[in-house]
Amino acid sequence: MAKLFIVGFPKDMEEIELVEMFSVYGIVNTVTIVTDKESGVSKGYGFITMMDQSGADRAIAAMDGVEIDDRKISVRIADDKKTTGKEAAKGPFQKPLPRSQHFAARGGLQEPPKKKRPRRS
């Protein structure tokens, strides 16, 4: 599957219109129009997931730069979500290491474990 990012289409455009426009170039799996959380009004951009890369490539070649209602749309492959430095260092699906293990993983000395406090009865 290939995920496309489409920006610049009219805010009154509906998902079915995007499906009709892009299904000419390949099988459209999903369409998501990004809307304002409070008002529900379209922000003029969204995502289309196509079943195969070749269909996505055809859609980009044909639709990028097309004018719809005097608005020029841009179509490109959607980037993965940007990660911050900390997230990139951890890698996907990894929990951060406790400080002592993190220090040891980098070749340093491991901190001694903390002593437990005695329980009061």
Side-chain angles (χ1 to χ4, degrees):
M1 281 204 236
K3 189 172 187 179
L4 301 177
F5 175 67
I6 299 96
V7 64
F9 56 82
K11 293 184 178 187
D12 62 346
M13 186 170 255
E14 295 183 14
E15 290 175 350
I16 191 68
E17 294 173 284
L18 288 172
V19 170
E20 289 171 352
M21 289 171 53
F22 282 83
S23 63
V24 173
Y25 307 104
I27 300 170
V28 174
N29 188 32
T30 60
V31 176
T32 305
I33 294 178
V34 179
T35 58
D36 182 80
K37 288 181 182 179
E38 293 177 13
S39 68
V41 176
S42 168
K43 291 187 174 187
Y45 68 93
F47 300 92
I48 292 180
T49 305
M50 299 192 74
M51 291 301 287
D52 61 346
Q53 186 64 45
S54 60
D57 292 339
R58 287 190 300 269
I60 292 169
M63 298 298 293
D64 188 41
V66 169
E67 283 193 26
I68 303 172
D69 294 342
D70 296 326
R71 294 186 62 146
K72 194 176 208 179
I73 67 169
S74 174
V75 182
R76 63 181 180 265
I77 297 292
D79 294 332
D80 291 334
K81 288 187 175 185
K82 303 290 183 204
T83 57
T84 63
K86 285 184 179 180
E87 291 170 341
K90 289 189 299 188
F93 309 112
Q94 291 182 0
K95 293 182 182 179
L97 294 171
R99 186 168 190 263
S100 60
Q101 290 177 359
H102 184 69
F103 185 68
R106 290 189 174 185
L109 297 173
Q110 191 169 10
E111 295 177 5
K114 291 186 178 181
K115 293 182 181 179
K116 293 183 179 179
R117 287 187 273 166
R119 291 188 180 177
R120 292 186 173 180
S121 33

